[in-house]
Amino acid sequence: MSDPMVPPTPPVSLEALLARADLGLRRVAGPDDPATVVHWAHASEMADPYPYLLGGELLLSAGVHIPQGAGAGYFDAYVSRIVAAGGAALGFGLAPVHDAVPGALVEACEMHGLPLLEVPPRTTFSGVARAVWQLMAQARLAELRRVTEAQQSLAAAASRPDPLAPLLHQLAQRVGGWAALYSPDSTELATAGPPPAPEARRALTTLTQVVRPATAPTADRADATAGSRAAGAMGVPPLERSREWGRVGAAAPRGAEPRNTPRPTPTSATDTANGTHLTAYALGPHGHVLGIAAPHRTPGDHTIASAAAVLLTLLTAPHQSRTTEAGASALVRLLLGASPEDVAPLLGEKLWHVVHARPNTQEPPEPLATAALATALGSPLIDPTGETVRALVPADRPVDPLPGWTLGVSTTVTPEDWPAADTQAARALSRARALRTPLLRHGDRPALADLVEPHDADVHARTLLAPIAAAPALMDTLRTWLSLHGSWDRTAVALSVHRNTVRQRVARCAALLEADLDDPDVRMELWFALRRT
């Protein structure tokens, strides 16, 4: 109920009260509606109880107020005032005043649609009130248990490597409806649960405009009013006037607002379309919105949805750190022609790791999963383009295995060696995927190749590999095959090709190089040369 006088306690189903055998209550008039609920029990013998009711009561009376010879007019006025006050039901106690429920009272309750309960002589009004509060306590305990379990499942889903889909799935399951994450331009980024009717879906999209901050980069925020009118033309009811205004409080009356003062943007809003309950939650100042469409609302739904909104706000917020602005400046300078070593001081670190990461699923990494990866690595310098995510991570921040990801990590390098480290991380990732290990680091200890003069080593490498240098596929295949000790299957996995393709390429390399690749000395020499390229 939207009435502020209604207490924030779970209501009691009238059916549950009637089911209490110890009370012995019996419905004698009024609608048999399972949706009828009671917020409290109140006893009164006033002929006009209207001034003393707040709404939602089970009003209990023994009929002391009924005058001798009262006719249909009296009972009609009495019942109509209870209905006008918002009373949920009327309980009429038998004895000591009346031996039976007056027939005129039964007729009046039928006419006005007020449930009328017969309270037997053995049941006291205080016993009925106590039963109402017991049922309230049980409902409250069940609601708290449901909310707690839902919050735990949402937190567990948010901690997964790919948190978006599991979190929305849990939310949709817990509220018994459909959940959608909207981008700042009102695009559905992800959904879960049974989708609502098209009219309700369009109305929910319109509702997201209400909670989206005015500064958010929407596609066309000015068309929100037009969209609402269009939804009305399709038969979608207009937005409800009573909304949850979050921290900004209730909106002031329209006439009391200064003409040029913008109304604060609410953090959540509700609507109803074709019997479907719609709710929208703003996810921070960047324009993402959580939308929920459910066939009904139950106690605790708002608390569960609010917890999900908090988690989604954290997941959709851009990674913030002290290097964010400096990173943007470094990117601009690189684009304008500066060298990496010139812009590196802006990032505040001298030594770095290059990290390549791929999700363990067949799908490309999702944006929110990539954001979670950046948070786990502790660096906002992320390139999510393609199937592999590349990251620059300061050397003083440890890179550990992450659930759901396969990582390849370069050696510790200075900015001028970033390109070489990028190649190292790529090769480490390929080997990690082939070996099915969550993380593999490029070896950084001195090698025998370091004993050879770099110029002489480069000349030797170019000469030795000249026959296949013009075929990058052959070079990559040979390098990967040698790094994996001649394993056809692992090389196929690392290169994402068929094992027969690997065999054909390696055989082609052997023919062009005129070398016996089964000879360990030949393999060592080729590996030495490949490390120089």
Side-chain angles (χ1 to χ4, degrees):
M1 299 177 65
S2 59
D3 191 337
M5 298 302 294
V6 175
T9 55
V12 174
S13 168
L14 189 60
E15 294 292 330
L17 200 61
L18 288 169
R20 289 280 296 256
D22 59 321
L23 298 179
L25 303 179
R26 184 172 68 91
R27 189 198 309 268
V28 296
D32 186 6
D33 185 2
T36 303
V37 295
V38 173
H39 285 271
W40 43 43
H42 175 66
S44 173
E45 297 298 341
M46 302 294 296
D48 181 12
Y50 179 94
Y52 308 97
L53 300 181
L54 296 176
E57 296 94 346
L58 167 60
L59 180 64
L60 300 171
S61 173
V64 177
H65 59 87
I66 301 176
Q68 289 288 340
Y74 176 86
F75 290 105
D76 179 76
Y78 176 70
V79 173
S80 65
R81 293 288 283 173
I82 297 175
V83 173
L90 174 63
F92 193 86
L94 302 183
V97 182
H98 298 271
D99 296 329
V101 180
L105 178 60
V106 174
E107 294 177 359
C109 288
E110 285 286 357
M111 182 176 61
H112 290 281
L114 179 69
L116 176 61
L117 310 184
E118 180 186 88
V119 183
R122 64 180 175 85
T123 302
T124 62
F125 286 173
S126 60
V128 175
R130 181 177 60 185
V132 170
W133 286 111
Q134 286 175 345
L135 291 172
M136 280 187 176
Q138 294 173 7
R140 182 60 174 170
L141 180 61
E143 177 186 336
L144 290 175
R145 183 180 294 111
R146 171 175 173 254
V147 169
T148 300
E149 292 175 351
Q151 290 176 336
Q152 291 174 346
S153 65
L154 291 172
S159 65
R160 295 181 55 176
D162 51 344
L164 178 56
L167 198 155
L168 288 178
H169 173 75
Q170 283 293 332
L171 175 60
Q173 188 178 51
R174 297 290 177 172
V175 301
W178 182 73
L181 175 64
Y182 293 86
S183 67
D185 62 356
S186 297
T187 300
E188 294 175 6
L189 294 177
T191 64
E199 295 82 1
R201 197 165 183 166
R202 288 193 290 266
L204 183 58
T205 302
T206 301
L207 186 64
T208 63
Q209 298 287 348
V210 177
V211 300
R212 185 169 286 115
T215 56
T218 59
D220 191 356
R221 184 176 179 85
D223 287 343
T225 303
S228 180
R229 292 173 181 169
M234 294 184 294
V236 179
L239 301 180
E240 295 176 0
R241 291 187 178 183
S242 62
R243 307 192 187 278
E244 301 170 53
W245 289 91
R247 292 183 294 274
V248 299
R254 184 181 299 273
E257 294 179 353
R259 176 171 297 180
N260 295 325
T261 301
R263 174 175 293 184
T265 302
T267 57
S268 64
T270 61
D271 193 8
T272 304
N274 293 343
T276 301
H277 298 278
L278 311 176
T279 313
Y281 295 85
L283 304 180
H286 304 288
H288 289 87
V289 177
L290 169 64
I292 299 173
H296 53 78
R297 289 194 183 109
T298 57
D301 282 355
H302 176 65
T303 304
I304 294 172
S306 298
V310 171
L311 293 172
L312 286 171
T313 299
L314 297 175
L315 291 173
T316 56
H319 181 77
Q320 298 294 331
S321 71
R322 61 185 177 85
T323 63
T324 300
E325 293 183 2
S329 299
L331 175 61
V332 171
R333 296 192 185 186
L334 283 173
L335 293 174
L336 295 179
S339 62
E341 52 270 26
D342 291 336
V343 302
L346 291 173
L347 303 179
E349 304 290 345
K350 295 182 179 179
L351 299 176
W352 298 82
H353 290 298
V354 176
V355 178
H356 281 213
R358 286 191 66 171
N360 293 340
T361 62
Q362 298 298 326
E363 302 296 329
E366 296 179 348
L368 294 186
T370 302
L373 174 67
T375 302
L377 293 176
S379 174
L381 304 177
I382 293 287
D383 175 20
T385 306
E387 297 181 347
T388 300
V389 179
R390 302 190 300 172
L392 276 174
V393 180
D396 60 351
R397 298 178 187 176
V399 180
D400 299 318
L402 299 174
W405 292 90
T406 300
L407 306 180
V409 185
S410 74
T411 58
T412 301
V413 298
T414 55
E416 56 266 23
D417 292 326
W418 280 347
D422 185 53
T423 302
Q424 293 176 359
R427 294 174 182 172
L429 175 61
S430 295
R431 294 194 64 213
R433 294 182 66 240
L435 297 173
R436 293 179 173 84
T437 183
L439 184 146
L440 194 64
R441 304 177 191 275
H442 185 85
D444 55 358
R445 63 181 181 180
L448 292 176
D450 298 329
L451 302 178
V452 182
E453 188 69 28
H455 175 73
D456 295 338
D458 291 341
V459 171
H460 176 72
R462 285 195 299 268
T463 302
L464 182 62
L465 298 175
I468 63 173
L474 296 181
M475 292 278 286
D476 290 341
T477 302
L478 182 60
R479 177 186 293 108
T480 305
W481 183 73
L482 289 174
S483 71
L484 296 172
H485 311 292
S487 171
W488 309 108
D489 292 332
R490 291 179 177 178
T491 303
V493 171
L495 297 177
S496 299
V497 298
H498 196 275
R499 66 194 307 271
N500 289 341
T501 303
V502 175
R503 287 181 177 273
Q504 293 169 3
R505 290 180 181 177
V506 172
R508 182 63 175 162
C509 290
L512 293 175
L513 295 172
E514 298 179 354
D516 180 8
L517 297 184
D518 291 330
D519 188 334
D521 290 333
V522 173
R523 290 192 182 192
M524 181 182 68
E525 188 176 10
L526 288 173
W527 182 248
F528 172 85
L530 287 167
R531 284 177 60 87
R532 306 299 305 180
T533 59

